[in-house]
């Protein structure tokens, strides 16, 4: 069972430096997205935000993020 999945809240993910390394590598601009604070306040997960994320990133990039996220121990 992975430590993190796309069902883990963004607020939890952002506290882990290993997750933030992936963000910095694959999608650093997401940290400046206008909906970021709302997603954090509302307890969103990547799965809950997939409608927005899938418009910003390719399926391949999202899958790479998921694979790398789930590999974190």
């Amino acid at each position: 069972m992975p430590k993190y999945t796309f069902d883990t809240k963004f607020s939890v993910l952002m506290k882990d430096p290993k997750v933030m390394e992936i963000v910095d590598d694959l999608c650093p601009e997401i940290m400046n997205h206008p909906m970021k604070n709302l997603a954090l306040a509302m307890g969103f997960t990547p799965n809950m935000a997939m409608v927005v994320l899938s418009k910003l990133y390719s399926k391949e990039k999202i899958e790479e993020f998921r694979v790398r996220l789930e590999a974190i121990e």
Side-chain angles (χ1 to χ4, degrees):
M1 183 91 154
K3 180 176 182 179
Y4 301 122
T5 69
F6 274 11
D7 289 320
T8 306
K9 291 181 180 182
F10 284 122
S11 59
V12 172
L13 295 174
M14 289 179 60
K15 291 178 184 176
D16 189 320
K18 292 178 183 176
V19 175
M20 296 312 297
E21 285 179 28
I22 300 169
V23 170
D24 288 343
D25 186 38
L26 294 178
C27 51
E29 64 282 347
I30 199 75
M31 296 307 295
N32 295 319
H33 193 278
M35 298 297 287
K36 180 187 100 177
N37 290 335
L38 178 64
L40 288 170
M42 303 266 317
F44 276 35
T45 67
N47 276 332
M48 293 169 74
M50 200 53 65
V51 171
V52 172
L53 296 175
S54 64
K55 291 180 181 180
L56 297 173
Y57 302 105
S58 68
K59 290 178 185 176
E60 294 80 13
K61 188 171 268 196
I62 291 170
E63 179 62 11
E64 181 178 354
F65 191 99
R66 185 193 63 76
V67 168
R68 290 175 62 181
L69 178 70
E70 291 181 358
I72 294 174
E73 296 180 1

